Amino acid sequence: MSLKSPISVNFEVSPVCDLFCEFCFNADPECKALIHPPLKQVISILDKLAEAEVFEIRLFGGEFFVYPQWQRVLEYADGLDFFLSFVSNGTHINMDVAKALAAHRIHHGAISLHGIKEIHERITKVEGSFEAAVNGMKSCIENGISIAALYTLTRSNHRQIFDTCQWLKNNGVDISEISVGRLAPYGRARSEWDKVKLSLQDYLEVFPQLERVQEELGISADFGDSFPLCLVPTKYHDYVVGCWQGTGFGHIDHTGNVRPCSVAKGSYGNIFETSLTEIWTKRLRDFRSLKWLPEKCQRCDSFCGGGCSATSFSGGMYAPDAFIKQENGDCHE
């Protein structure tokens, strides 16, 4: 099926964030000079997304709730009849914020949590961020908003997934799911990639934990990013959500650039210069052709799209997964 626009869009309302997560572009000191875009610009982007008949908007950042006029953005987006959700670090969500979200028909959101208190705050580098995020989760849940915990895998937390979910369960934080994400060579993580990147074995240790979370704690668990299925035991294939960038999903940054996702390289174009429909139907043809994938991946019965292109350190926008060799399609050991 051909779509004239993405079904779902992460809309980066503002690039500004008040945490300093070790893997994020906001951890770079020069990025603290970033400023909020004017409300008029945010509204114009929403109008263009509505014109292209995008269905879902995920209010995104940076951190959406540090945008000074986030309530006006929420009200305007709801008035355009988008299906709305959000992605947040949770530290600015209290009962009043959660009530406002619920009043504007938001039933689901995602809040980042990267481990128990010690690990989470080692990653965010902000004291009190763990408790604030947990309180944000509780506020949403009490107002009928289901919450998924977003857990970015790092060397310090990739073995603590079950422990984190068990802590939440024991402390009455009834998240609907936990979705773990891959570490990508982006922002500060890119500048220190050889030191911080995870090995294939590190990732393979994640799947048994997801199985335990689901079976022992009753929390839905998944590997939210794509991963080469040829490297994952078959019994864990259903845990890999996969990626639908460029087919049903896109990311719009605060300047109007259409990007593959929040951590992928490059831009397909800017919706202030070219309509989203034209960008989506014409400029992504090469990507959707899949000719840039190794031949082995194109022939594979367990098709996964070549894993995650954002994990390739030296590849361009269309690059196979970091664990797949490009020259002959053989997988890294």
Side-chain angles (χ1 to χ4, degrees):
M1 178 182 293
S2 297
L3 300 176
K4 72 174 188 178
S5 62
I7 296 171
S8 178
V9 161
N10 278 352
F11 175 26
E12 180 189 298
V13 175
S14 172
V16 178
C17 183
D18 53 355
L19 298 186
F20 299 84
C21 297
E22 63 185 25
F23 47 75
C24 182
F25 69 88
N26 279 292
D28 292 334
E30 61 269 22
C31 288
K32 288 305 159 186
L34 292 170
I35 60 173
H36 296 295
L39 179 63
K40 182 179 180 180
Q41 181 172 306
V42 175
I43 295 301
S44 294
I45 291 175
L46 286 171
D47 284 338
K48 291 183 180 297
L49 297 180
E51 181 182 342
E53 297 184 320
V54 171
F55 174 68
E56 178 187 23
I57 299 292
R58 290 191 184 97
L59 299 167
F60 204 85
E63 171 53 43
F64 173 65
F65 295 103
V66 300
Y67 187 65
Q69 301 184 79
W70 69 264
Q71 290 173 291
R72 293 186 65 184
V73 175
L74 175 63
E75 181 179 356
Y76 192 81
D78 188 21
L80 292 175
D81 207 29
F82 289 114
F83 183 87
L84 294 174
S85 58
F86 66 89
V87 176
S88 171
N89 64 36
T91 60
H92 295 271
I93 300 177
N94 53 30
M95 291 297 287
D96 289 339
V97 171
K99 287 177 181 177
L101 295 171
H104 288 287
R105 304 184 294 169
I106 289 185
H107 303 291
H108 179 76
I111 291 178
S112 298
L113 198 73
H114 308 302
I116 57 176
K117 177 179 172 63
E118 178 185 354
I119 295 174
H120 180 79
E121 295 187 358
R122 187 189 309 153
I123 290 172
T124 66
K125 306 189 186 311
V126 174
E127 185 177 353
S129 58
F130 177 81
E131 183 178 356
V134 169
N135 287 338
M137 290 178 169
K138 289 181 175 179
S139 295
C140 288
I141 293 167
E142 289 180 28
N143 282 278
I145 302 171
S146 66
I147 291 296
L150 297 184
Y151 191 103
T152 299
L153 297 165
T154 70
R155 284 190 172 182
S156 62
N157 73 5
H158 74 281
R159 293 189 177 95
Q160 279 72 45
I161 300 167
F162 181 85
D163 292 343
T164 303
C165 290
Q166 188 173 52
W167 186 96
L168 292 171
K169 187 89 170 179
N170 292 342
N171 286 274
V173 187
D174 296 322
I175 60 172
S176 61
E177 67 174 303
I178 182 165
S179 182
V180 302
R182 296 180 68 174
L183 187 66
Y186 183 73
R188 182 175 177 181
R190 181 174 179 83
S191 64
E192 302 177 350
W193 190 237
D194 286 337
K195 296 180 180 179
V196 302
K197 65 181 179 181
L198 277 71
S199 68
L200 175 59
Q201 184 57 43
D202 290 334
Y203 281 113
L204 293 179
E205 291 175 3
V206 166
F207 293 99
Q209 294 180 74
L210 298 180
E211 184 177 44
R212 284 191 68 198
V213 167
Q214 195 154 288
E215 293 184 356
E216 297 179 28
L217 301 178
I219 299 172
S220 178
D222 61 65
F223 196 100
D225 296 323
S226 192
F227 202 87
L229 293 180
C230 58
L231 301 178
V232 179
T234 304
K235 70 174 183 174
Y236 296 132
H237 282 193
D238 288 344
Y239 287 92
V240 181
V241 171
C243 180
W244 53 320
Q245 63 149 308
T247 55
F249 165 82
H251 181 97
I252 311 293
D253 72 16
H254 64 286
T255 66
N257 286 320
V258 182
R259 297 172 52 197
C261 73
S262 60
V263 296
K265 306 175 185 71
S267 167
Y268 299 119
N270 190 289
I271 59 176
F272 288 118
E273 301 170 357
T274 309
S275 73
L276 178 57
T277 295
E278 181 175 344
I279 292 171
W280 205 253
T281 57
K282 296 181 180 179
R283 296 191 181 179
L284 278 89
R285 286 176 180 170
D286 287 343
F287 173 77
R288 297 190 191 111
S289 74
L290 306 179
K291 293 178 181 178
W292 49 274
L293 282 176
E295 186 177 348
K296 179 179 179 179
C297 291
Q298 296 184 50
R299 297 196 315 265
C300 181
D301 290 334
S302 298
F303 181 69
C304 65
C308 175
S309 60
T311 61
S312 174
F313 185 88
S314 57
M317 290 176 66
Y318 308 156
D321 193 281
F323 293 124
I324 294 179
K325 292 181 180 178
Q326 298 189 44
E327 64 273 15
N328 57 16
D330 292 333
C331 300
H332 285 291
E333 295 299 329

